[in-house]
Amino acid sequence: MAFISNVERFHRNNVATLRNSPLAEVSGALGDLGTLLPLMITLAVNGSISLSTTLVFSGFYNLATGILFGIPLPVQPMKAIAAAAIASHASERETVAAGSVVAIIVLLLSITGLLHWVTRVIPIPVVKGIQFGAGLSLIISAGSSLLQPFAHHWDFPLDNLVWSFAAFLLLILTQRASRFPYALIIFIVGLILAIIFVATSSHHHLPHFRFWHPYFRLPWWSADAIGMGIAQLPLTTLNSVIAASALAADLLPDLPAPSVTALGISVGVMNLLGCWFGAMPVCHGAGGLAAQYRFGARSGASIILLGLFKMILGIVFGETLLDLLTAFPKTLLGIMVIAAGLELAKVGQSLNHGASDLWEASVDQRSHKIHRDISDQERTERWTVMLMTTAGILAFKNDGVGFVAGMLCYWAYRVADWIEKRRNRRSSERTPLLHT
């Protein structure tokens, strides 16, 4: 009954938020395009996924997520699988098989309760470090894309650093206007530029009607596919599930945050449905949530609208969208990714004030909680653990390495505390003997 009650509450909030701030919700829905478009387009060009099926299925996932979770939770590519599939030109059957490997493992971890247990034993500084590292990783990747040679040449008048500078300037000027429809404006400008490019090119074609024809595709669980799935597993569990759940609680405290179990089941079900039809492996993610929140989304209405839009595009235009999507200015997408990375990295500021593990039940046993005061030494230790986690992620470009580094740093401090307590206890036991 609690589930039904939450869905009804989410529906009321979705409707009210959309009525009050329609432009902000639409803008927020487009906030994660900087992550979605480059990976989806490249995979489609390489023949590693079906573009039309990916749009239809991911749109349906957006729709279901907005209804069931009621927050702007993204549906985005599994980045490790996408990167490996692009590098190796993996077949469609191998790519979807890799997604199904992750889905099965995460689903088992969620159903058995192991994922919830893991969440309880991971310290908040490590979780914050994963979020902080993910945010900085987005900024670095976006900066790298803006340094590509094409962005510096006037041979590309519709996609160069002039457009990125203008987009960045608009971002700076509107940073205090949290509901300003920034992403919507950037999307419209980028779409106009892409249409001009395609329309004036002899090698590209504008989208035209081509009805979606779904087809069955048996996944091929090759050694490479299983390897891609295993490589994705730390990123999915840590960023798409654990960090996303924690970030939802931070950004939208007035709404029930999705549990790690619910998010894990969601990731598993999405990919076990889509893997039989050539859909891109997808997950949720803290970065996408931060992006959609940064650009105005405050409810599930934003991604419901996005889901409907993607489904219509996939059903009506399908693969003919590829030329137009490929022509979308990369410099504009890069600025959107930078903004998303900054929003995600900002969650680190609450580490020592406002973090969930610093709130305790009050003595009078009422529902109110009090904030626990921490010493300067504990502040330093928590900050060091977070930075150690972030350093591992950035240095090795791997969430799993950052997680291990952060946990080792955390437990090193705990062992040092234990040794110090034992010394103090022995010292207190010997003190009376010295006075007798």
Side-chain angles (χ1 to χ4, degrees), residues 36-55 86 92 190-191 193-195 197-199 201 203-210 215 280 310 313-330 333:
L36 173 66
L37 289 184
L39 294 177
M40 182 177 69
I41 292 169
T42 307
L43 288 171
V45 170
N46 290 352
S48 298
I49 62 168
S50 166
L51 177 62
S52 57
T53 300
T54 295
L55 286 171
I86 291 169
E92 188 176 299
L191 186 61
L193 294 176
I195 291 174
F197 177 82
V198 173
S201 172
H203 305 291
H204 299 83
H205 303 282
L206 289 170
H208 54 272
F209 178 77
R210 181 181 292 178
Y215 56 87
M280 177 179 65
K310 287 162 68 175
L313 289 179
I315 292 172
V316 176
F317 298 109
E319 312 298 330
T320 68
L321 286 164
L322 198 55
D323 284 349
L324 183 62
L325 293 178
T326 305
F328 198 96
K330 310 299 184 298
L333 291 176

Side-chain angles (χ1 to χ4, degrees), residues 255-372:
L255 292 173
S259 67
V260 292
T261 301
L263 291 181
I265 292 174
S266 175
V267 170
V269 171
M270 286 191 301
N271 290 284
L272 288 180
L273 284 176
C275 71
W276 307 102
F277 302 95
M280 177 179 65
V282 294
C283 58
H284 304 300
L289 175 57
Q292 291 173 167
Y293 180 89
R294 168 62 182 82
F295 294 121
R298 296 295 184 273
S299 74
S302 60
I303 54 172
I304 291 175
L305 295 175
L306 176 63
L308 292 172
F309 182 59
K310 287 162 68 175
M311 290 179 72
I312 292 171
L313 289 179
I315 292 172
V316 176
F317 298 109
E319 312 298 330
T320 68
L321 286 164
L322 198 55
D323 284 349
L324 183 62
L325 293 178
T326 305
F328 198 96
K330 310 299 184 298
T331 48
L332 295 183
L333 291 176
I335 299 301
M336 292 178 66
V337 173
I338 288 176
L342 290 171
E343 186 67 31
L344 181 55
K346 275 170 33 179
V347 301
Q349 68 183 350
S350 66
L351 174 68
N352 290 326
H353 185 80
S356 59
D357 62 334
L358 297 180
W359 293 94
E360 299 175 336
S362 58
V363 179
D364 59 7
Q365 301 299 319
R366 295 177 183 175
S367 59
H368 300 289
K369 292 186 176 182
I370 57 174
H371 193 277
R372 179 169 64 88

Side-chain angles (χ1 to χ4, degrees), residues 80-373:
I81 289 179
I86 291 169
S88 63
H89 287 268
S91 67
E92 188 176 299
R93 293 176 59 199
E94 285 184 301
T95 304
V96 297
S100 70
V101 170
V102 180
I104 292 170
I105 296 175
V106 172
L107 193 59
L108 288 175
L109 290 174
S110 302
I111 293 174
T112 58
L114 288 174
L115 198 56
H116 179 69
W117 176 82
V118 168
T119 305
R120 288 190 300 166
V121 300
I122 297 178
I124 290 297
V126 174
V127 176
K128 293 283 187 183
I130 293 170
Q131 296 171 330
F132 191 46
L136 295 182
S137 295
L138 287 175
I139 296 170
I140 292 171
S141 66
S144 300
S145 70
L146 293 175
L147 293 176
Q148 295 298 315
F150 75 88
H152 300 268
H153 293 298
W154 289 103
D155 296 337
F156 302 93
L158 302 179
D159 189 9
N160 56 43
L161 288 181
V162 174
W163 292 103
S164 65
F165 178 76
F168 184 72
L169 187 62
L170 180 62
L171 179 70
I172 296 298
L173 293 175
T174 59
Q175 59 183 338
R176 285 198 173 184
S178 60
R179 308 307 298 277
F180 181 80
Y182 176 86
L184 178 60
I185 293 173
I186 295 298
F187 175 76
I188 292 174
V189 172
L191 186 61
I192 293 173
L193 294 176
I195 291 174
I196 294 173
F197 177 82
V198 173
T200 57
S201 172
S202 59
H203 305 291
H204 299 83
H205 303 282
L206 289 170
H208 54 272
F209 178 77
R210 181 181 292 178
F211 195 76
W212 176 52
H213 294 286
Y215 56 87
F216 179 80
R217 179 70 73 184
L218 182 66
W220 179 27
W221 289 281
S222 64
D224 288 340
I226 295 174
M228 288 191 293
I230 297 300
Q232 173 68 39
L233 195 58
L235 185 61
T236 296
T237 53
L238 296 174
N239 183 47
S240 301
V241 177
I242 296 174
S245 177
L247 183 64
D250 288 340
L251 296 181
L252 301 161
D254 296 330
L255 292 173
S259 67
V260 292
T261 301
L263 291 181
I265 292 174
S266 175
V267 170
V269 171
M270 286 191 301
N271 290 284
L272 288 180
L273 284 176
C275 71
W276 307 102
F277 302 95
M280 177 179 65
V282 294
C283 58
H284 304 300
L289 175 57
Q292 291 173 167
Y293 180 89
R294 168 62 182 82
F295 294 121
R298 296 295 184 273
S299 74
S302 60
I303 54 172
I304 291 175
L305 295 175
L306 176 63
L308 292 172
F309 182 59
K310 287 162 68 175
M311 290 179 72
I312 292 171
L313 289 179
I315 292 172
V316 176
F317 298 109
E319 312 298 330
T320 68
L321 286 164
L322 198 55
D323 284 349
L324 183 62
L325 293 178
T326 305
F328 198 96
K330 310 299 184 298
T331 48
L332 295 183
L333 291 176
I335 299 301
M336 292 178 66
V337 173
I338 288 176
L342 290 171
E343 186 67 31
L344 181 55
K346 275 170 33 179
V347 301
Q349 68 183 350
S350 66
L351 174 68
N352 290 326
H353 185 80
S356 59
D357 62 334
L358 297 180
W359 293 94
E360 299 175 336
S362 58
V363 179
D364 59 7
Q365 301 299 319
R366 295 177 183 175
S367 59
H368 300 289
K369 292 186 176 182
I370 57 174
H371 193 277
R372 179 169 64 88
D373 293 327

